[in-house]
Amino acid sequence: GNAPEAIRPELDRLTARLTSRWTPKRAYQALADDLDDPTGDLLAAHLILASEIKVSALPNALHDLAEMVFDEVKARREIDSARETNRTTARLASVITLGLLILAATFMADFFSVYATPVGQLVLALLLFGYIGALRWMRNLSRPDLPPRILLKTEGATQ
């Protein structure tokens, strides 16, 4: 079909479920579980409503939902692009820092002699833990903040 590659397996499973006589509500709930995304929950909720009540305004509601999902996907892609830039910057900064430390250790060994003492070792450990902590913090900031799902996950694969 013409489904996006990213969700084609989930839609293929939905089609298989519907053709194997799953109730539409259960099949759409399983789709939401497969997608495991708040936007997927919204789509599944609309489909569940459509399957249970015949509403003449549903095509308009689904059209509005499609526009909203398009805008959300576009925004997520822009955010992901900005986050990838931050991750690339952090990697580059780490490589440059490591390179400079190796060069300094090679050509200015006496600069690091202060770290040979027990107090120097403690300071070095604190600096390394601080740097690693900053990298972890940057990684956590670059993770997407998705709102919670609106449909509860279901257990099992029964109708």
Side-chain angles (χ1 to χ4, degrees), residues 9-11 13-15 17-18 22-37 40-41 44-45 48 149 151-159:
E10 290 85 354
L11 294 178
R13 284 194 295 274
L14 172 64
T15 302
R17 288 174 181 138
L18 289 171
W22 280 42
T23 63
K25 180 179 181 179
R26 178 66 189 105
Y28 297 140
Q29 176 67 50
L31 172 66
D33 291 345
D34 289 346
L35 293 171
D36 195 22
D37 183 90
D41 285 357
I48 289 169
R149 290 191 52 197
L151 295 178
L152 299 176
K153 272 194 165 197
T154 57
E155 298 299 321
T158 60
Q159 290 188 28

Side-chain angles (χ1 to χ4, degrees), residues 122-137:
L122 179 63
V123 169
L124 181 62
L126 289 173
L127 290 172
L128 287 174
F129 282 125
Y131 190 76
I132 292 169
L135 289 176
R136 289 180 61 103
W137 179 51

Side-chain angles (χ1 to χ4, degrees), residues 3-139:
E5 189 65 38
I7 61 169
R8 186 168 294 145
E10 290 85 354
L11 294 178
D12 288 344
R13 284 194 295 274
L14 172 64
T15 302
R17 288 174 181 138
L18 289 171
T19 57
S20 66
R21 299 190 184 264
W22 280 42
T23 63
K25 180 179 181 179
R26 178 66 189 105
Y28 297 140
Q29 176 67 50
L31 172 66
D33 291 345
D34 289 346
L35 293 171
D36 195 22
D37 183 90
T39 304
D41 285 357
L42 194 56
L43 172 64
H46 273 74
L47 293 171
I48 289 169
L49 283 174
S51 70
E52 292 183 351
I53 56 175
K54 306 301 180 219
V55 178
S56 61
L58 187 65
N60 292 335
L62 288 175
H63 178 72
D64 292 344
L65 175 65
E67 288 179 353
M68 185 197 75
V69 169
F70 177 81
D71 291 342
E72 183 174 332
V73 168
K74 182 179 173 186
R76 281 189 191 184
R77 285 182 177 160
E78 290 171 0
I79 291 168
D80 285 345
S81 176
R83 287 182 173 155
E84 184 56 37
T85 300
N86 292 339
R87 287 189 288 268
T88 301
T89 302
R91 281 186 212 111
L92 185 60
S94 294
V95 167
I96 290 171
T97 301
L98 184 61
L100 288 175
L101 286 173
I102 290 171
L103 283 174
T106 303
F107 297 110
M108 302 173 6
D110 54 332
F111 176 77
F112 292 100
S113 63
V114 70
Y115 297 113
T117 66
V119 172
Q121 292 286 304
L122 179 63
V123 169
L124 181 62
L126 289 173
L127 290 172
L128 287 174
F129 282 125
Y131 190 76
I132 292 169
L135 289 176
R136 289 180 61 103
W137 179 51
M138 287 177 68
R139 185 185 74 196

